[in-house]
Each structure stands twice: as structure tokens, then as C-alpha cells.
DNA sequence: TAATAAGCGAGACGGTACGTCTGGTCTTACC
DNA sequence: GGTAAGACCAGACGTACCGTCTCGCTTATTA
């Protein structure tokens, strides 16, 4: 009952949060700043986003979702490359700063880490694993592939460059895919 | 001239900073807390460590240095595995939490990022690259290896698991080395 | 709109400020000390009293007001003596220390001086001048009295003894009135 | 034994202290500021002037002494007027700000008050009292004069205007002398 | 003429208080 | 019952000075 939640306020908060993260990073990302920028009262923000981290995550996902391409050409290797490339492309833009902010926040707030894993990291891994799995089934990838570790290496490289502030671009993304996939091809142990 | 810097105070500050980062992470890592725990005056801390991040880095390096093994058996691949394993072993302990804190801090303080890169990341890469380079010279690794990307993948995987709070252990470290090195061996492009 | 100001907090601050000034003088009169003694947050104090001096003045006036007697017997000379006596009596007590503190503070803060003049000094002079004016009208005081200077002499003597830490008592107050008024009586220039 | 005190340092400190008090008042009068302005080490200042107040007093007296005229024309009333005028003239200049600062400091430091009384206030009163005393002896002033109170009124008026930031000039000084002396002349009690 | 004792500049140290910023919580009025 | 406004307590921020404490260097006196 009572007055329904204001969608207007929700949008204003998420937009302001995203903008602040993109423009100035975590440093100036305070409830105070979001409130003043969005014109929404601080109390209202606290009501719906109990912690800074959760607000950051939501504003990130909100902007990130649907930007990631889960294309399906039939060729698992091509699809995997495309997925990696898509990830890199998105993270090289403003959303990258927001993602990095969320990971930083996660270091001091376990709840933020949990939600980040759950809503972003795990689904991404699941999809990637599915593609590689189809490669195995199709015989284009080694049957004894250590899937988890391959994904750690591929995705970890992206995260690392993001967090260290090193450039992410399509060329690098291709070289990453080359390097990772080369170890996944079938063939004799040399 | 003037009164010489107190080595005692320096040690107390670094120890307290390290302990706080290990025990409670960045959340409670304030100059205030370090001062009160170390018994050193807040002004003294500011005199030597102008920002939180630099204090975190120094306390991390101080504890990290010499824990990392740069062994040299003559076999570059074995040495590379040992280095990776050593990195994982150190980061799986308390120093890992401190490293993660520093990386988080680096997201909001460019100076922290710069120093972290300079004093930790770059030297580690340099050493790793040297080992792989010797493998190429010796013919046990492909001549056309994309060294930079291989290191991104190997080290990135470690960073990622660290930051996402996922376990780092010797078994995983070995599997990571297996996976990474497999793609580096010489052989026909398949 | 918004939450209304807490009268409780206001009282606690003024009382604590007054008590500190009385007990230890300006030396230990810090926002910090008032906050800790009153139990009111430092930020709340800053919200309402932007400077130390204004807080001191308000706590002084708050305690001083209504202690000063503006009696009216019909005889202006008697009333003037009573006013002077009343001033001396009040300033010889705890409020005297607070008044002295405010005057000291006024030496380094023009705003404090301005407010002190406006809310304390000027009204006191106005009332005194009114009494003496009625004496002139009634013919008991010289018509060519230099009112401003007479008040400078009468009130200045009180201020001076207060600031130099010399005793203020009824006997002295009477002698002061005698001395000042003697020069104000009508009579031939001798 | 040992190295003798540096007169150069002493002068530099007193000059700097005086200049600071004149230019910015007590607000910026810190040992730090005096040290940095004078080029003398902070420790050296503390060696010779244990408290702020004593430094202020010394720098004041140093500049004030000999500015005050104790002329002696033979006519005590004229001499008294001259003394008052001289006091007003000196205090209306830069030394006035310094004197006011010292009195302010005296409110939080009893030692400062004691020394101020001893080296400035008491000698001034003594000289003034001597002049008025000669007036009584000569019969130009009432024999039953309340000397202490007359001086309180005369000097107090000057102090008060100084501390309240009100102008001190020769005209006012003459009117003050007129007003005060009028009550001191012999004649019937009216 | 060397030792020595005090003065001095430099600058670190443990502290206190500053005035500001932000975090969360609360209370009130309005919608 | 949601929302805006804004007060409240709490506590960290980075800075300015405080008064004390080593230091190493300088300068007279005295042995």
C-alpha cells in the first residue's frame, strides 16, 4: 500500500551514479554526491540501496546489459572470439571504469563481491564455458581441456589490464584469443 | 640536518598498516586507525606517506619482498612454473589481502596505481618475460610467442581469482602453468 | 522543512560553553571541548555557531541578560548608580570571566567585536545615556555634559579592572559613581 | 660560559613579533610565524620566551618605551593632560594593536597579565598618581580626591576604546581630561 | 691552542584542535 | 507509505601549531 516507488527517482539515481563513476571514479562516488547530482534525497537512496557497492553494481549492470554480444554463428571458436571481443569492447569504454570501481568496492564489502560474482561474473563464465564445451563436443578443442583454468586465463587477462589501467583494444583481444585457443587445440602432448 | 627519522616509528607504522589491511581490509584502513594502532602520531604518518595508497603499497612490498622466489635451475620452464607457484603461494596468504587492497585503492588514486605498477607489476613481468625468453632461445618454446599476452593471461588469472576472493592453491597454480605453457610449445599450427 | 533544530542540543552547547569559559577561560575553550562536554556533535556546533567568538558571545548574553537591572526610581542619579552597581555586580561573578573572554576573542576576530558592540556595549551605553539625559533635563546634571566621554570613563573603568583581573565590588562601584558624577553636577567653572 | 646569546637573533625575533602583531593581530601570532618571519629557529625562541604572551609583551614594551612622554612643566594639570595625550597618541598607532593583543593574551595567561601589570600598568599609574598628588599638594585639586578611582576612570576609558576598536585621537583625549579633571577641582559639595 | 660549554638552525616527534566532508539515522511536513 | 528537506551523531580527513627532542655546527671562554 501507500505511495508507489518513484521510477523517476530510481532512474535519476542510477544515471547520476553511473555518470559519477565514469567521470571521477570511486573517489568522489558518495551517497552525498549521487543525491545532489540526481536531485533525489539521500534518505531515499538509502532506502533502496543499502550500500555504495550495490548502487554501483546496479548502475553498472543497467548500462552494461545487452551491450555484451552472445552471438551464435554455429562455430564455437568464432563465437568465443566474438564474446571475448565484445567483453573487451564494452570494458574499454565508460562501463570499464564502472566495472573497475565495483571490483575495487568489492575488496572492502563482501556483499558487493557476492553480488558482482552472481550477476556478472558467473553468467559470463557460464556462457563462455558453454561455447568452449560445444567446441569440445565438436572435436575442434581438446577433450581434456581444463575449462575453468582456460576461462581464468582469458577473462583474468582482461580484468587485469582493466584494473591496471592498460589499454584494451580489438587487436589485443584477438591476440589474447589466439594465445588462449592455441593451447586448447587437439594434438599430441609435446 | 635536524633530528634523524625514527626507524622505530617507521616500522611500527608499516606493521600496523599491514596488520589492519590483513585483518579488516581497506574498510577500516584509515590514517587514524594506523596511527592509533601503531602508537605513532598522525602527523608523523602524513609526513612520510602523503596518501593512504602509498602507505598500503609500502607495507605490502615490505612484507612481500623476498617472499617471491626467483629461483634459477637452468630449466626455464621449471623456473617459470616455480615463479608462478611462488606468486600464488604468497598471494594466497595474508599478503594477498594487502595486494588486493592496493589494487582497489589504485582504482581511485592514479598515483597508487603508478607506484604499484612500477614497483611490483613491472618487475614481476620483467622477470617472467626473461624466463620465457630463455625458453625461446633454448628452443623449448615457440619462437613466435606473443610474450606480452601470455603474461597477461598467466598473471591476470592470478589477479582475478585474488580479487574475486576465489581460492589460490598449488594445484590450481600447476594447472594454470600447464594450460598456459601448452599453448607456448613449438609445433605446427593446427 | 526538514527536521527542526534541537533545542536540547542548543541548550547543552551554550551551557557547556559558558561552563568552560568560567572554569578555564579562553585557553581551553575549543569547539572540540564544547562538543565533548555538551555531548553534541562538533558538526552541529559548526552549523549554528560558525566561529568560537559567536558561541562565546551567545553563551555570555544568554547568561547575562536579565541579570542587569534597569530599575527606574524616578531619580536619574540613583538609577545611574544602580545601573553601574548592577553592571559591576554581574561582571564580578562568573559572567565577568566570560565577558573578558569575549573581549579577548574580539581582538583577533572583528566579527566577534562587531557583535559584542552591537548586542552588549551599545545597548548598555544607550540606557546609561538615557538616564544621564534625564538628569540633564531635570537640571540635576550640567547641561553641557560631554555624555559620550562620561560614559567612556564610567564604563571604561569597569572594563579595565575586569580585564586586568582587579577586584570589582560594591564599594568601588560607589566610589566610581561618586567620582564620575561629581564632575557632572552643575556649577561654576572653577 | 659557552657561546653568548645572539643579539642579532633577539632583535630579529622582537621585530618580527611586533610586525606580525601590528599587521595581523593575535590571530596569526604564532611561534611558528615569528620563527619563519625572523629566520630564527623555533627552539631559540622557546629558549628565551617561554610563552607567546611574554614575547608579545617584550616586543610591545620594546617599541613603546620612550614613546610615552613624562614631561614636567611645573603645572601638574598640564603635565597630566600631556601624559594622557601621550598615552592616547601612542596607543592610536601600531603599538595600540600590540597593547590590545597583550591584554587579550592576558585573559588566558595569568603570567602575561602579571607582567603586563608590573611593567606597564603599574608604572603608568604611579606616574599619573604622582602628578595628581602634586596637584593636591599645590591646592589645585581637591584634597579628598579618590586618586585610585580617578585613574581607573581616566585610563580605563582609553583601554576600553582601544579594545573596542573605537578611534583614539587628541580631541577625545582633551575632552576626557576636561571631564575627569572637572570632578577633581576643589569646591563645595553640591 | 685545545677542550668545553652554551647558543643556534634544522627538522622529526607526539599531540591538540581546526574546519570540512561523508556516512548513516532521525524527524517532520508534504504528497 | 514514499519522498524531500534537513538536523543529528559519528568519525576520518588533511593542515597548522604546539612544545619537546635530537642532531651537527658555531663561537667564546677557560684550562
Amino acid at each position: 500500500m501507500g505511495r508507489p516507488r518513484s521510477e523517476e527517482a530510481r532512474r535519476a539515481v542510477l544515471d547520476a551514479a553511473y555518470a559519477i563513476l565514469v567521470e571521477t571514479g570511486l573517489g568522489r562516488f558518495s551517497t552525498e554526491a549521487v543525491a545532489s547530482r540526481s536531485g533525489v534525497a539521500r534518505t531515499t537512496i538509502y532506502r533502496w540501496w543499502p550500500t555504495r557497492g550495490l548502487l554501483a553494481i546496479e548502475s553498472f549492470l543497467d548500462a552494461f546489459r545487452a551491450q555484451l554480444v552472445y552471438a551464435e554463428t554455429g562455430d564455437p571458436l568464432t563465437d568465443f572470439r566474438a564474446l571475448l571481443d565484445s567483453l573487451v569492447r564494452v570494458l574499454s569504454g565508460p562501463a570499464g571504469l564502472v566495472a573497475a570501481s565495483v571490483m575495487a568496492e568489492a575488496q572492502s564489502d563482501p556483499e558487493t563481491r557476492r553480488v558482482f560474482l552472481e550477476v556478472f561474473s558467473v553468467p559470463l563464465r557460464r556462457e563462455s564455458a558453454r561455447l568452449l564445451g560445444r567446441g569440445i563436443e565438436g572435436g575442434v578443442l581438446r577433450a581434456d581441456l581444463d575449462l575453468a583454468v582456460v576461462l581464468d586465463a582469458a577473462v583474468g587477462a582482461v580484468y587485469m589490464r582493466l584494473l591496471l589501467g592498460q589499454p584494451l583494444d580489438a587487436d589485443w583481444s584477438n591476440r589474447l584469443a589466439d594465445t588462449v585457443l592455441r593451447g586448447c587445440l587437439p594434438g599430441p602432448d609435446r
Side-chain angles (χ1 to χ4, degrees), chain A:
Chain A
M1 258 251 318
R3 179 172 172 177
R5 176 170 183 186
S6 158
E7 177 57 24
E8 206 172 343
R10 186 180 155 274
R11 270 261 54 85
V13 168
L14 292 177
D15 290 350
Y18 188 79
I20 289 173
L21 283 176
V22 166
E23 288 171 23
T24 64
L26 259 190
R28 307 224 170 276
F29 181 69
S30 58
T31 314
E32 189 84 12
V34 174
S36 110
R37 177 156 186 158
S38 65
V40 170
R42 221 141 51 81
T43 34
T44 300
I45 299 182
Y46 279 115
R47 200 191 319 279
W48 302 109
W49 297 276
T51 73
R52 227 166 67 136
L54 295 179
L55 174 50
I57 287 182
E58 190 168 338
S59 79
F60 161 64
L61 286 181
D62 209 63
F64 184 86
R65 239 188 298 263
Q67 288 196 47
L68 201 55
V69 175
Y70 293 110
E72 202 90 8
T73 65
D75 175 10
L77 265 50
T78 302
D79 289 350
F80 180 74
R81 282 175 173 282
L83 179 60
L84 217 50
D85 190 59
S86 169
L87 177 66
V88 163
R89 188 175 315 111
V90 176
L91 292 184
S92 70
L97 295 172
V98 183
S101 298
V102 171
M103 291 192 71
E105 188 67 17
Q107 300 314 305
S108 51
D109 177 10
E111 178 66 4
T112 297
R113 172 180 286 170
R114 196 184 62 70
V115 174
F116 179 74
L117 277 170
E118 186 177 301
V119 297
F120 178 71
S121 188
V122 166
L124 177 62
R125 273 184 92 88
R126 190 181 307 122
E127 179 61 17
S128 312
R130 202 177 56 77
L131 290 178
L132 295 187
R134 285 192 31 229
I136 296 173
E137 288 165 18
V140 293
L141 295 180
R142 302 173 48 87
D144 63 347
L145 209 56
D146 193 338
L147 256 186
V149 170
V150 169
L151 293 179
D152 284 343
V155 179
V158 179
Y159 280 0
M160 188 191 69
R161 289 185 76 91
L162 176 67
L163 290 168
L164 294 183
Q166 294 164 335
L168 292 170
D169 55 48
D171 174 56
W172 178 83
S173 152
N174 281 326
R175 288 160 56 205
L176 176 64
D178 290 344
T179 299
V180 167
L181 288 178
R182 159 170 292 272
C184 302
L185 303 181
D189 270 3
R190 281 145 305 177

